[in-house]
Amino acid sequence: MDEFALIAELFAPLTDRCGAHLLDDAAVVPSSARHDRVYTTDTMIAGTHFLADQPADEVAAKLARVNLSDLAAMGAEPEGYLLALALPRSVDTDWLRGFAAGLAADQDRFGWRLWGGDTTSGAERAVLTLTAIGRVPRGQAVRRGGARAGDHVYVSGWIGDGLLGLDALRGDRAATTGPAARYRRPEPRLALGQALRGVASACADVSDGLVADAGHIATASGVGLDLDAAAVPLSPAGRASVVGDPDRLRALLTGGDDYELVFTASPDAADAIARAAADAETPVTRIGRAHPGRRGPAVRVTDAQGHTLVIDRAGYTHGLGPAVPTPPDDTRSTPSQQTRRERP
Ligand code: ADP
Ligand code: MG
């Protein structure tokens, strides 16, 4: 059973199917007459979601920011977080000092504080979980299920730097510029997410890969999405990497770890989108259109010639089932490698 089948079959029946139907980036729960609270949690495992020799402050910043990206997708503003750490006995105090410093360095910037957590030792590898809590004005959270046929599809920033950054770090562990910097410290699009309240019809953050996360909007909304590969914004490094290499473009569209926002909006909202992008000082690019759902892939990507790009791997899914043996050098086990190993 893959991750999403497991969630739909075993966990979705446990929800109230209203605030939390497990289709959004976070759960939305009424909290007061004026606000809803928004909850999300994400785990990072040493050697799988971060490189074992990555600096501790950077690991902390990434753990916080991947969660903040889910709050951003909902249009929420961060308030507080809970931290659950399962640590190997070998973890040293200096590493933990660095980890705490990484969290401290980001707190003012994102306007949130630590509210609680749990610490255990004896784990084989460090397993770090952060639960992020934010708020939105009542009823204004941006869900994944609101896209309608005819809506335009947009994406923020640049797609593909997550994958390129990981590749850069594999080649040179000291790399700190361009995509490597964005891989190390992704920038959650909080200002844009908040500016999209009441403007976007649906939104998700791009953690599993653009095509996969657009697919989550398509599924939750019951529409199909047509994406124009040539319109997808790439960074200078991304543009350089795809010259004459269509496979590379496919890899960037399906690689994860971008932490951009993919969203839909009615064609009438084009001016409001432009204003939201300007207010948030975040570039936004139109990359496609929603249509009534039909049989076939929920997300279809076409190239500049109008040919359908064959996407055999929409993005990162956590394969579940028999344990996958850990490679001898566990620092080489990264999310995208994991994907390849775990797919049947
Ligand atoms: P994201 O990539 O945005 O963090 P995920 O792909 O991890 O989201 O999860 C998709 C949805 O499934 C989310 O709504 C999440 O809350 C829910 N989910 C994932 N794992 C579980 C679980 N073990 N129990 C309950 N809900 C889960
Ligand atoms: Mg998400």
Side-chain angles (χ1 to χ4, degrees), residues 134-221:
R135 66 177 190 178
V136 284
R138 188 118 198 221
Q140 287 193 38
V142 187
R143 311 286 196 130
R144 286 178 177 172
R148 296 293 169 257
D151 281 0
H152 292 165
V153 184
Y154 298 85
V155 74
S156 66
W158 303 273
I159 288 301
D161 276 12
L163 181 68
L164 291 173
L166 177 60
D167 284 351
L169 278 181
R170 281 206 201 111
D172 170 11
R173 282 307 170 81
T176 53
T177 56
R182 297 195 62 210
Y183 178 83
R184 287 174 184 277
R185 286 179 202 273
E187 198 54 53
R189 299 297 194 181
L190 285 157
L192 179 65
Q194 290 163 32
L196 290 173
R197 296 194 295 241
V199 177
S201 52
C203 186
D205 74 321
V206 180
S207 56
D208 296 339
L210 175 65
V211 176
D213 288 303
H216 295 148
I217 290 180
T219 306
S221 300

Side-chain angles (χ1 to χ4, degrees), residues 44 55-65 98-103 106 130:
M44 290 181 22
D57 66 322
E58 206 172 281
V59 173
K62 186 148 185 180
L63 181 64
R65 290 166 182 226
F99 184 80
L103 292 171
D106 267 355
L130 190 147

